[in-house]
């Protein structure tokens, strides 16, 4: 006779910050039942968000359907956006911890069947002071017994598989003109002490007072002789609808030279190499020729060494 396998469940404390967010979201609605559901949905999202943080995933609370007050008023949704992967539905079940057994059932609202990469069951104590992550299913089903949910290890593997198969997100350069920068792109003085070659390097390309410069550290320690490199990008708005772009590659260490044969290339969206430069023994930095593109145009920057390639994707 077969037996039901009981998987380990992780208990997550529900911090005051989670309750404040739940209060803020729920108070925008009317109807006691709906207000309560939004509150519980938000707590379930907070528990999943904390677990994903433990496991190294980045989330965006403002990107899902549940962040839109209008959709939240019309639909029973509790999606949490996992950056670079997709929306994970976090479904609360209000029950005592001792009751989270075979008789408990997770019900998924029909409005959650599209645009989800998985569904997590979250058991909430009546006191709402802690939550238990009960498991997940990767695809939509109307109902599933808690005992039949897949374990959290499978959830992590599922998300990492999706991340590996997803194309790299594109950095939107036009947003830089509005002061919006993605994680990892910093002003030079936030990364390293000012260096003469960095301070003046991009001046070889056309600049104006509207030119915006940012840099990102690329960790190529294994591939390029035990040193990271610094990718510098500067954008200059030109005539309506076009933008100029400057790209340089520097060693991170002061007064260092780039490893011989390091490649810096410009690729089209289709992967065609439009230009390329390679480092020589004496090079403190290398740069691409200044190029222009129309707003909405996509391109990629290739950095390659030792047979290993790193690609940064951009959108003008």
């Amino acid at each position: 006779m077969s037996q039901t396998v009981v998987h380990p469940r992780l208990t997550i404390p529900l911090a005051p910050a989670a309750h404040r967010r739940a209060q803020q979201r729920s108070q925008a609605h009317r109807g006691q039942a709906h207000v309560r559901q939004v509150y519980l949905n938000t707590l379930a999202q907070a528990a999943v968000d904390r677990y994903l943080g433990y496991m190294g995933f980045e989330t965006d609370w403002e990107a899902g359907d549940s962040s839109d007050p209008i959709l939240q008023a019309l639909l029973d949704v509790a999606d949490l956006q996992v950056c670079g992967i997709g929306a994970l539905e976090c479904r609360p079940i209000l029950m005592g911890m001792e009751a989270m057994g075979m008789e408990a059932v997770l019900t998924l609202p029909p409005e959650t069947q599209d645009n989800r990469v998985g569904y997590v069951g979250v058991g909430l104590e009546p006191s709402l002071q802690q939550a238990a992550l009960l498991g997940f299913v990767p695809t939509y089903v109307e109902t599933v017994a808690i005992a039949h949910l897949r374990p959290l290890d499978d959830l992590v593997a599922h998300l990492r598989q999706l991340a590996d198969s997803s194309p790299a997100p594109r950095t939107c350069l036009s947003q830089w003109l509005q002061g919006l920068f993605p994680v990892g792109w910093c002003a030079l003085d936030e990364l390293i002490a000012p260096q003469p070659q960095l301070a003046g390097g991009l001046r070889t390309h056309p600049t104006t007072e509207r030119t915006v410069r940012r840099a990102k550290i690329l960790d190529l320690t294994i591939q390029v002789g035990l040193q990271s490199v610094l990718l510098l990008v500067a954008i200059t708005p030109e005539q309506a609808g076009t933008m100029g772009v400057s790209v340089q590659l520097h060693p991170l260490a002061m007064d260092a030279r780039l490893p011989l044969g390091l490649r810096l290339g410009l690729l089209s969206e289709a992967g065609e190499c439009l230009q390329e430069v390679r480092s020589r023994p004496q090079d403190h930095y290398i740069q691409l020729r200044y190029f222009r593109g129309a707003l909405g145009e996509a391109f990629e920057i290739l950095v390659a060494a030792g047979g290993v390639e790193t690609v940064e994707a951009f959108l003008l």
Side-chain angles (χ1 to χ4, degrees), residues 106-183:
L106 174 65
T107 301
L108 301 179
E111 54 263 44
T112 67
Q113 61 185 302
D114 295 325
N115 303 318
R116 300 293 191 268
V117 297
Y119 303 79
V120 182
V122 182
L124 301 176
E125 280 190 334
S127 66
L128 302 184
Q129 295 306 303
Q130 62 179 2
L133 301 189
L134 307 175
F136 96 109
V137 289
T139 55
Y140 177 83
V141 290
E142 291 185 5
T143 61
V144 58
I146 297 301
H148 295 161
L149 292 175
R150 293 169 58 175
L152 294 179
D153 286 348
D154 286 1
L155 169 62
V156 172
H158 174 65
L159 294 178
R160 287 176 177 164
Q161 183 179 27
L162 292 174
D164 291 340
S165 62
S166 300
R170 292 190 178 274
T171 298
C172 184
L173 294 176
S174 60
Q175 292 183 347
W176 290 15
L177 300 174
Q178 306 167 29
L180 302 174
F181 306 99
V183 175

